[in-house]
Amino acid sequence: MDVDDPSPRAGGGSGVDPPRIRRLEESVVNRIAAGEVIQRPSSAVKELVENSLDAGASTVSVTVKDGGLKLIQVSDDGYGIRFEDLPILCERHTTSKLSAYEDLQTIKSMGFRGEALASMTYVGHVTVTTITEGQLHGYRVCYKDGVMENEPKPCAAVKGTQIMVENLFYNMVARRKTLQNSNDDYPKIVDFISRFAVHHINVNFSCRKHGANRADVHSSSTSSRLDTIRNVYGASVVRDLIEIEVSDEDAGDAVFKMDGYISNANYVAKKIMMILFINDRLVECTALKRAIEFVYSATLPQASKPFIYMSINLPSEHVDVNIHPTKKEVSLLNQERVIETIKNTIEEKLRNCNTTRIFQTQAVNSALTQVYTQKDKGTEVKMAPGVKSQKAPVSQMVRTDPRNPSGSLHAYWHGQSSKLENKYDLVSVRNVVRSRRNPKDAGDLSSRHELLMEIDSHCHPGLLEVIKNCTYVGLADEVSALIQYNTHLYLVNVVNVSKELMYQQALCRFGNFNAIQLSEPAPLQELLLMALKDDESIGDENDEEKLEIAEANSKILKENAEMINEYFSIHVDHDGNLTRLPVVLDQYTPDMDRLPEFVLTMGNDVTWDDEKECFRTAAAAIGNFYALHPPILPNPSGSGVQVYKKNKACMASGEHVDSTDEDDIDHELLAEAETAWSQREWTIQHVLFPSMRLFLKPPKSMATDGTFVQIASLEKLYRIFERC
């Protein structure tokens, strides 16, 4: 019996059937595209930060866990996302940046394809929380595979948008395994944020690991780019930078401008640092980088690399931004001419500044007695400090005879022979290394360390265990919250714990605060008069006395403005206006209704003549101001709505008032109160208690002063039920 062989035959008259072409499922297409757009966690961070900048944000905060694989959280204070846009937010190719292909010719924004958020939903779990200006509350919604998992839920939110990407590449096993080492990608994320901070000097950036006390990048809004470079990369970099400007406006077909900073011949580094923005877009240009390295090779020693920051502006129609999946490269019209012009300008700058070279040396400690001993034919000659020594003979500075100790290496270390001197040298070297690693810590003060040690020594270990492992239950009343620890239920005074947390954070972030920029400068004297107006100890008729107190406190704050700005980021300008406040907790802004009271406390209650007490009282004033006090407007829930009646006078006189009449309610004031109280409740749950678990070291006094009260125990409840 003959049986047809279904298998394809090689050779002979019958050819192999070609494979069949199939249309891939949409989910497969989207996942493949997502893997190309979001190549690693740093790619996701870059896309999210660019979205924040496109949204007009003035503050961008990034939090990363396990190199971005477990968590990426990017928060900004931009204009938010419309409620009606949330359903299509994470669909592919949905964007607010353009509507037609021709718009690419004049595109100004960094994003334009509408692929980044969609790609993240195919390789991770995305949660978006947003609020737009004028809304009473925000919305939170989760996305998976480009669509919403549920309807948007109303929630309390701060201005702007917060996007969380969790479990990145959970469904891409090979990609996740290659990125398991979290130490690989976090430096890339820090590098991205540092580059953005240098270019966007009007935006506050921060980047930290989840649970870390200190941000690895923290830049404040400033008018000087050199200040930002100093803050991000250190003072040693700024010292060797020179400004550069290039323009080619005469050539009609290649109009461009470039400004930036380049390092001079004194700068030494092992790796090139090139920060390049073209039309405000962070990109790479291999040809330009190679040309600059070639110029520097004739100036710098071998193996030394330069520091370069460049911002190039060209007409939009001369730049093609759509040539790379992650938009890290662009194509320029007349690129060779642009590069040649920049190269020639850099070469000329370096030639003009290369007339002198500076070599850093370490000075010998002048407090030590320096004795130079010369041996000449068995005679010992000691030369006292201040006496000019004779130059050692050349024959003694080269070891020509192994039996002659004057030719040994220690002869080159004049005055460094004693153990005491070696000890002092070691201390000075350690200080130099520490100051290079973290310039802000170089001026750290012992009094601040003493205050931190007091916090550690007074910490209650039992309460610390409760805080670290508690579960938030909810608010019990206006000042108390319920938490559960194991089988115990505790009542916690929110005002007291937040005040202590803010005090401790003010000392921990000492000299390293991010800043809140006030929308308008606030005159100190006006703030002080507002605070004194509410002071019942001074009568209303004593206006002159209030004015004198306000002037005196304003003068004190202006005299100490430099100190409180450096240590606590409280900036007072020369005209006596308050312009900046510190960020004590990320994503939290204090109640500005209490600002006058805070300014009065800073001027009146801070001990300025004693360093340790000054830091303690200033941190206590900050802690009280930033604590989560109940809002000044009464709670509108329940019967509290009666306070917002327009005809409260009739109610006071005893006349009958119909409580159901909506026209009698001041809806604007009521909405403001509802927003304030809901915002406080959200902040307590999502900001205060997570921060307490990370940072708070509860003092022993909290166990006895009613801050923590155990109100129930499961074991005791079982006993009661058994009796029943």
Side-chain angles (χ1 to χ4, degrees):
M1 182 183 293
D2 295 329
V3 179
D4 294 336
D5 183 7
S7 61
R9 301 171 188 167
S14 176
V16 178
D17 293 337
R20 192 174 175 185
I21 298 176
R22 299 179 179 86
R23 180 180 286 106
L24 293 176
E25 294 182 5
E26 187 176 356
S27 61
V28 177
V29 174
N30 290 332
R31 190 174 295 181
I32 293 172
E36 187 179 29
V37 175
I38 307 300
Q39 298 175 352
R40 53 193 312 124
S42 57
S43 306
V45 172
K46 180 175 180 288
E47 296 285 354
L48 293 175
V49 170
E50 288 180 344
N51 282 347
S52 297
L53 294 173
D54 286 340
S58 61
T59 300
V60 180
S61 300
V62 180
T63 304
V64 177
K65 186 176 182 181
D66 287 355
L69 292 178
K70 286 285 184 67
L71 171 69
I72 295 172
Q73 178 179 299
V74 178
S75 308
D76 65 62
D77 60 352
Y79 44 68
I81 302 167
R82 297 173 184 269
F83 172 76
E84 54 269 23
D85 292 338
L86 290 175
I88 64 169
L89 174 66
C90 292
E91 291 183 8
R92 289 193 69 198
H93 307 305
T94 56
T95 179
S96 62
K97 314 299 173 56
L98 52 81
S99 57
Y101 180 78
E102 290 73 21
D103 296 340
L104 275 177
Q105 305 300 320
T106 58
I107 194 78
K108 299 289 185 182
S109 61
M110 282 170 273
F112 53 86
R113 293 198 191 108
E115 286 186 316
L117 276 177
S119 298
M120 293 176 205
T121 64
Y122 284 98
V123 294
H125 302 121
V126 177
T127 304
V128 178
T129 305
T130 186
I131 184 172
T132 57
E133 188 174 357
Q135 285 186 327
L136 298 180
H137 56 77
Y139 292 94
R140 181 177 293 112
V141 60
C142 300
Y143 294 89
K144 184 179 181 181
D145 294 341
V147 297
M148 297 191 300
E149 291 188 288
N150 46 44
E151 290 298 316
K153 297 179 181 178
C155 66
V158 294
K159 178 190 175 186
T161 303
Q162 180 189 83
I163 298 181
M164 287 196 303
V165 183
E166 299 174 285
N167 299 322
L168 194 61
F169 303 125
Y170 73 97
N171 53 359
M172 301 176 71
V173 179
R175 179 80 60 90
R176 193 174 180 89
K177 284 184 178 180
T178 61
L179 297 170
Q180 280 299 325
N181 187 358
S182 61
N183 293 326
D184 289 344
D185 227 55
Y186 184 69
K188 291 184 174 64
I189 295 172
V190 170
D191 180 56
F192 273 132
I193 303 301
S194 301
R195 292 168 185 258
F196 280 120
V198 169
H199 184 70
H200 297 278
I201 59 176
N202 58 336
V203 180
N204 301 316
F205 286 93
S206 70
C207 178
R208 70 178 70 236
K209 288 184 178 179
H210 183 265
N213 292 336
R214 177 175 296 172
D216 294 291
V217 180
H218 46 82
S219 69
S220 301
S221 177
T222 178
S223 59
S224 171
R225 199 175 307 280
L226 283 177
D227 287 343
T228 304
I229 297 175
R230 181 183 293 107
N231 190 25
V232 175
Y233 290 103
S236 60
V237 175
V238 175
R239 183 175 58 237
D240 297 324
L241 294 185
I242 52 178
E243 190 172 4
I244 184 171
E245 292 183 359
V246 183
S247 64
D248 190 19
E249 297 182 354
D250 295 334
D253 57 344
V255 179
F256 83 95
K257 290 184 179 180
M258 187 277 282
D259 62 89
Y261 291 91
I262 61 173
S263 57
N264 59 23
N266 298 315
Y267 180 80
V268 177
K270 294 182 179 179
K271 184 179 179 183
I272 185 173
M273 172 57 69
M274 183 169 178
I275 305 171
L276 176 62
F277 281 81
I278 297 180
N279 288 2
D280 294 327
R281 187 184 303 276
L282 178 61
V283 295
E284 297 176 2
C285 182
T286 305
L288 178 59
K289 182 179 179 181
R290 193 181 300 117
I292 292 174
E293 284 185 313
F294 177 78
V295 173
Y296 272 95
S297 63
T299 304
L300 294 179
Q302 190 174 6
S304 292
K305 301 296 181 181
F307 179 97
I308 308 290
Y309 162 74
M310 286 185 183
S311 175
I312 302 176
N313 289 295
L314 300 99
S316 301
E317 58 271 17
H318 290 184
V319 183
D320 186 357
V321 298
N322 192 28
I323 67 168
H324 195 276
T326 62
K327 304 186 291 289
K328 74 173 185 177
E329 294 179 2
V330 295
S331 177
L332 307 181
L333 184 66
N334 297 313
Q335 178 171 299
E336 294 79 8
R337 181 185 295 181
V338 172
I339 292 176
E340 187 66 24
T341 304
I342 294 174
K343 174 188 171 184
N344 293 338
T345 306
I346 293 176
E347 193 170 12
E348 183 180 355
K349 275 278 184 181
L350 291 176
R351 192 185 306 117
N352 294 337
C353 76
N354 200 25
T355 55
T356 60
R357 294 291 297 271
I358 300 174
F359 297 92
Q360 301 298 323
T361 60
Q362 183 176 332
V364 178
N365 195 330
S366 59
L368 300 175
T369 303
Q370 300 179 7
V371 179
Y372 177 69
T373 304
Q374 262 190 338
K375 289 187 178 181
D376 185 14
K377 297 181 181 180
T379 305
E380 184 174 286
V381 181
K382 292 186 178 180
M383 305 184 71
V387 179
K388 188 175 181 180
S389 61
Q390 295 181 355
K391 186 177 180 181
V394 176
S395 60
Q396 290 188 356
M397 296 304 290
V398 179
R399 190 171 183 180
T400 56
D401 186 352
R403 296 170 297 176
N404 183 5
S406 64
S408 59
L409 288 176
H410 68 75
Y412 292 85
W413 293 80
H414 303 314
Q416 303 283 335
S417 57
S418 69
K419 292 182 179 179
L420 181 63
E421 291 170 341
N422 286 334
K423 179 181 177 182
Y424 274 92
D425 264 354
L426 184 59
V427 171
S428 62
V429 169
R430 285 174 176 168
N431 288 336
V432 170
V433 172
R434 189 181 296 115
S435 67
R436 286 176 180 170
R437 287 179 179 171
N438 195 337
K440 294 240 176 184
D441 280 351
D444 225 345
L445 302 170
S446 59
S447 53
R448 177 242 186 178
H449 286 294
E450 291 173 7
L451 291 172
L452 292 175
M453 290 174 65
E454 286 181 11
I455 293 173
D456 291 335
S457 62
H458 294 157
C459 180
H460 191 292
L463 287 181
L464 182 62
E465 177 66 20
V466 170
I467 289 173
K468 293 289 186 187
N469 300 286
C470 71
T471 301
Y472 177 80
V473 178
L475 286 179
D477 55 32
E478 295 181 355
V479 297
S480 302
L482 290 170
I483 61 172
Q484 180 183 343
Y485 170 69
N486 289 342
T487 58
H488 305 296
L489 192 65
Y490 290 88
L491 196 65
V492 181
N493 188 307
V494 171
V495 177
N496 288 354
V497 294
S498 61
K499 189 181 299 184
E500 181 64 27
L501 174 64
M502 303 301 179
Y503 166 76
Q504 294 181 10
Q505 281 296 287
L507 293 175
C508 289
R509 297 192 176 196
F510 185 89
N512 289 287
F513 288 97
N514 289 335
I516 302 171
Q517 188 77 31
L518 300 185
S519 57
E520 294 182 4
L524 288 177
Q525 193 156 331
E526 291 184 15
L527 293 173
L528 290 164
L529 287 172
M530 290 172 62
L532 292 169
K533 184 179 179 181
D534 298 332
D535 193 344
E536 297 178 356
S537 62
I538 305 175
D540 293 337
E541 65 278 358
N542 297 330
D543 291 338
E544 292 185 4
E545 183 181 353
K546 292 180 180 179
L547 185 59
E548 289 177 3
I549 295 174
E551 289 176 351
N553 283 286
S554 178
K555 182 179 179 182
I556 290 172
L557 291 174
K558 284 194 283 187
E559 289 174 350
N560 295 278
E562 185 177 355
M563 184 270 286
I564 59 177
N565 180 43
E566 180 180 358
Y567 294 150
F568 297 108
S569 195
I570 301 172
H571 184 260
V572 177
D573 62 21
H574 296 296
D575 298 326
N577 297 319
L578 182 66
T579 61
R580 284 202 301 268
L581 291 171
V583 176
V584 178
L585 279 184
D586 291 335
Q587 296 301 304
Y588 171 64
T589 303
D591 186 356
M592 289 301 170
D593 289 336
R594 301 183 183 275
L595 183 59
E597 179 187 349
F598 168 64
V599 174
L600 180 61
T601 304
M602 287 294 295
N604 201 39
D605 295 348
V606 174
T607 307
W608 299 102
D609 53 356
D610 181 84
E611 184 179 88
K612 183 177 178 180
E613 283 305 308
C614 174
F615 295 159
R616 186 201 303 275
T617 50
I622 292 172
N624 185 59
F625 172 45
Y626 281 74
L628 275 86
H629 298 278
I632 293 177
L633 291 173
N635 193 340
S637 61
S639 60
V641 73
Q642 300 294 335
V643 179
Y644 300 94
K645 292 282 187 179
K646 294 180 181 178
N647 53 1
K648 292 194 287 288
C650 297
M651 296 173 59
S653 63
E655 296 181 20
H656 175 71
V657 178
D658 186 4
S659 61
T660 62
D661 191 354
E662 291 292 330
D663 295 335
D664 290 340
I665 297 176
D666 189 339
H667 290 283
E668 185 176 349
L669 191 61
L670 179 63
E672 184 180 347
E674 289 175 343
T675 301
W677 281 91
S678 61
Q679 174 66 44
R680 178 175 181 264
E681 183 175 353
W682 185 90
T683 303
I684 290 172
Q685 179 178 354
H686 297 284
V687 178
L688 176 63
F689 274 88
S691 300
M692 281 171 51
R693 296 188 191 101
L694 294 173
F695 307 127
L696 181 63
K697 298 177 181 178
K700 296 174 182 177
S701 59
M702 283 189 172
T704 57
D705 63 2
T707 302
F708 286 83
V709 179
Q710 181 181 326
I711 59 174
S713 171
L714 192 60
E715 294 88 348
K716 294 181 180 179
L717 289 175
Y718 271 121
R719 293 174 188 170
I720 294 172
F721 292 146
E722 287 173 358
R723 291 174 187 170
C724 297

